[in-house]
Each structure stands twice: as structure tokens, then as C-alpha cells.
Amino acid sequence: QVQLVESGGGLVQPGGSLRLSCAASGSIFSINGMGWYRQAPGKERELVAGITSGGSTNYVDSVKGRFTISRNNARNTMYLQMNSLKPEDTAVYYCNADITGAGLSRNTYWGQGTQVTVSS
């Protein structure tokens, strides 16, 4: 079975940094697109950053210049480096991945979410 496990969330002060990780495990043939989403209380879930299998990236305007998404295909792991954090970045962050399994079936998977709180 395929699973995504997130880590790296926590409480930081405005202007601080965090690095989120998302590791995929299981019977994986390949990982296609991956992305980080976030959802704040009372708000809709939004795509924060995405990355293709070839390494192309895109970001929501509010995090451009502050966040960097990356992936290590050999480790089936994705990262989100978050710098210059603002209170409005506070949310539960979820990793998402489009994965082809060993049996060549293709599905989308979600991590369990990790809380990021930016507050003084």
C-alpha cells in the first residue's frame, strides 16, 4: 500500500523558517506530480506549490519568493522550505502526490497533514 507521511511542522515566530518533508512509501513504480496544499480554519484548501516529475514548479502568488518546493526522486520525498513566514501562513499543510503503483494503477494520495503556526 502507498502512504504519504509528513513531518516538519511546528510553531514559529513571524520571519522564521520551517522545512516540511513528505515521504512516500509502498509499492511505487513512479511518482508523477506532487504538491503542497494548506487549509486554515474556516478557509478552503488551496494549492501552495506544485512540482512535476521533471522538476518544474509553480507557486501561489502569496508565497512566491519565500517558499521553495523540491523533490528527491531517489528517496520518493518532497520538501517545502518556508522562509520569512507570516501569520497568514498558519494552516494545516498537506502533501499530495500522483503515484503509479507497481501494478501500474495511477492514483492520487494525501498525507495526514502537519500543523504550521506562525505567531509571536
Side-chain angles (χ1 to χ4, degrees):
Q1 294 182 325
V2 174
Q3 290 186 327
L4 302 180
V5 179
E6 301 168 347
S7 61
L11 173 64
V12 296
Q13 295 185 346
S17 297
L18 284 174
R19 181 177 172 88
L20 306 183
S21 299
C22 175
S25 62
S27 300
I28 298 171
F29 178 78
S30 65
I31 302 178
N32 307 302
M34 304 183 77
W36 288 97
Y37 291 73
R38 68 185 179 188
Q39 187 166 22
K43 302 293 185 179
E44 295 185 16
R45 185 174 299 186
E46 67 172 346
L47 175 64
V48 178
I51 185 167
T52 70
S53 60
S56 297
T57 61
N58 65 288
Y59 302 88
V60 67
D61 286 344
S62 60
V63 308
K64 287 181 178 178
R66 300 188 297 119
F67 291 11
T68 302
I69 187 172
S70 62
R71 61 191 288 173
N72 185 325
N73 291 332
R75 295 181 177 271
N76 289 336
T77 303
M78 175 179 63
Y79 308 93
L80 185 67
Q81 179 67 47
M82 304 185 293
N83 299 325
S84 301
L85 283 162
K86 304 175 180 179
E88 51 262 44
D89 295 319
T90 296
V92 177
Y93 284 70
Y94 299 90
C95 64
N96 174 271
D98 178 4
I99 296 175
T100 299
L104 302 184
S105 61
R106 183 171 175 176
N107 297 102
T108 297
Y109 298 88
W110 290 92
Q112 80 284 359
T114 184
Q115 177 71 48
V116 172
T117 302
V118 184
S119 176
S120 60

